[in-house]
Amino acid sequence: MEKKHLKVYNTIYDIRKELALLRSVGKTIGLVPTMGYFHEGHLSLIDVARKNCDIVVVSLFVNPTQFGPNEDLAKYPRDFERDERLAKERGADIIFYPDTREMYPDPFLTYVVTEKLSGVLCGESRPIHFRGVTTVVAKLFNIVQPDIAVFGRKDAQQAIIIKKMVADLNFPVEIIVAPIIREADGLAMSSRNTYLNSKERKQAPIIYRALQKAIEMVQRGELDAESVERSIRQQIETAPLARIEYIEIVNEKNLEPVKTIEPGTFVAVAVWFGKTRLIDNVDLIDLEW
Ligand code: AMP
């Protein structure tokens, strides 16, 4: 269902001018923030946005402030032409594609931090990551002023932090969290999956299999978080190339570990295969967020 016109804006001035015009004729605006190199996970967010607003803006920006000094900023996969084509085919209306200077004037001195939530789980090994995410998302909200914004459940901690930022700072935007899109073998789609070599790629679906087993355990009545965590660990360790960073069973409200599994409890994992860090998560008791 291809739309004829997909507009690409590189500057804040230009996209603001266009969006002001659209807003003045009553159009509602949805934002899908991304770092590009699209896969079906990203495109599913465009679908969700289209159902919930008139104009879909996809932002495409590999945000340097969310990468640590030894992370993969330089080699992060990029292919703007392909992304542009895929976004167009999927019915996006506008791509916002700024460069780093446009987003970060020099010197850049102001950051948004959601305390506590940004220091646990992925925040332990990536201490500045979520500060970068909340800062760039706050900037995107101010630039685009969307009515809704769509994020993927794939990055559960990110979605929870952004909801908290929006609540705490009164951003007038509704956050929608869309389900995880997976490959046929269960591996959660990610731009970083392209880093995996064929042996690593073959073993990576162990993550989702272990999480599925955990759900089955809970369905059979096992509510002790430690036992479920142990089972997930044992499963993942059967893959020789897997190196577990964390497996945590937490409460969705405050990301604190729980002893007993209850509605609102989910399990989040980070597992390395070689130089690639993969994350995944599932609700342990089926409940809408
Ligand atoms: P990224 O480009 O990796 O920053 O991701 C942009 C958005 O796409 C974020 O809201 C992610 O949570 C979401 N996303 C990434 N992978 C998936 C996936 N497999 N399923 C659903 N959403 C995803």
Side-chain angles (χ1 to χ4, degrees):
M1 213 199 287
E2 186 165 324
K3 289 196 185 174
K4 288 243 158 28
H5 301 289
L6 169 82
K7 293 180 177 164
V8 179
Y9 294 99
N10 303 112
T11 69
I12 295 163
Y13 179 85
D14 285 340
I15 192 170
R16 277 201 169 139
K17 210 163 77 177
E18 171 73 5
L19 291 173
L21 201 70
L22 291 164
R23 226 175 274 115
S24 74
V25 294
K27 301 287 188 196
T28 57
I29 293 159
L31 172 65
V32 179
T34 81
M35 298 205 299
Y37 212 70
F38 293 159
H39 50 66
E40 194 54 36
H42 296 111
L43 301 175
S44 75
L45 305 187
I46 296 178
D47 295 343
V48 172
R50 284 181 61 192
K51 288 201 189 94
N52 287 279
C53 65
D54 301 321
I55 302 293
V56 176
V57 178
V58 179
S59 64
L60 204 163
F61 180 59
V62 182
N63 174 35
T65 64
Q66 70 188 67
F67 288 78
N70 299 315
E71 293 182 356
D72 56 342
L73 174 62
K75 68 164 184 167
Y76 196 83
R78 297 160 209 243
D79 187 344
F80 180 75
E81 276 72 39
R82 178 175 167 273
D83 287 346
E84 185 183 17
R85 180 171 48 77
L86 291 173
K88 186 173 176 176
E89 281 169 12
R90 213 54 173 242
D93 300 286
I94 293 174
I95 291 183
F96 180 49
Y97 182 45
D99 67 15
T100 302
R101 267 173 316 169
E102 182 71 8
M103 290 298 276
Y104 292 106
D106 184 21
F108 184 81
L109 303 175
T110 310
Y111 289 86
V112 178
V113 177
T114 301
E115 294 183 348
K116 287 196 173 160
L117 300 181
S118 59
V120 298
L121 304 175
C122 292
E124 288 203 20
S125 66
R126 308 186 75 194
I128 62 159
H129 174 67
F130 289 110
R131 178 185 80 153
V133 170
T134 40
T135 300
V136 81
V137 170
K139 286 172 66 70
L140 290 167
F141 285 174
N142 283 332
I143 293 163
V144 173
Q145 297 174 37
D147 298 279
I148 62 144
V150 188
F151 293 85
R153 168 70 198 255
K154 160 84 191 326
D155 299 276
Q157 182 176 12
Q158 169 175 286
I160 288 169
I161 288 173
I162 283 164
K163 279 187 173 180
K164 185 66 179 138
M165 175 188 83
V166 162
D168 285 354
L169 298 184
N170 311 98
F171 280 98
V173 57
E174 181 195 342
I175 303 300
I176 301 176
V177 180
I180 301 179
I181 305 297
R182 298 179 179 281
E183 301 287 355
D185 59 12
L187 178 64
M189 288 192 185
S190 164
S191 308
R192 290 190 167 99
N193 291 351
T194 52
Y195 299 155
L196 298 168
N197 68 30
S198 64
K199 275 189 184 153
E200 292 161 352
R201 176 63 188 83
K202 256 202 186 121
Q203 293 182 22
I206 192 68
I207 299 173
Y208 187 57
R209 284 206 297 278
L211 297 179
Q212 286 294 102
K213 268 210 149 173
I215 293 172
E216 286 162 22
M217 268 178 97
V218 174
Q219 282 169 348
R220 284 197 307 269
E222 178 60 83
L223 296 179
D224 178 54
E226 209 179 303
S227 312
V228 173
E229 191 212 298
R230 199 176 320 117
S231 150
I232 297 169
R233 186 173 297 277
Q234 283 166 358
Q235 276 282 310
I236 295 178
E237 280 173 350
T238 63
L241 298 175
R243 190 165 58 77
I244 295 169
E245 180 180 304
Y246 70 76
I247 299 168
E248 290 207 47
I249 298 181
V250 297
N251 184 317
E252 74 181 26
K253 285 197 191 69
N254 51 20
L255 298 178
E256 282 175 10
V258 299
K259 274 192 159 38
T260 307
I261 291 161
E262 56 182 26
T265 302
F266 72 102
V267 52
V269 305
V271 180
W272 290 83
F273 282 87
K275 290 197 171 99
T276 308
R277 184 175 178 277
L278 302 178
I279 58 169
D280 203 342
N281 70 92
V282 294
D283 279 328
L284 286 171
I285 295 180
D286 203 9
L287 255 195
E288 282 287 306
W289 272 21

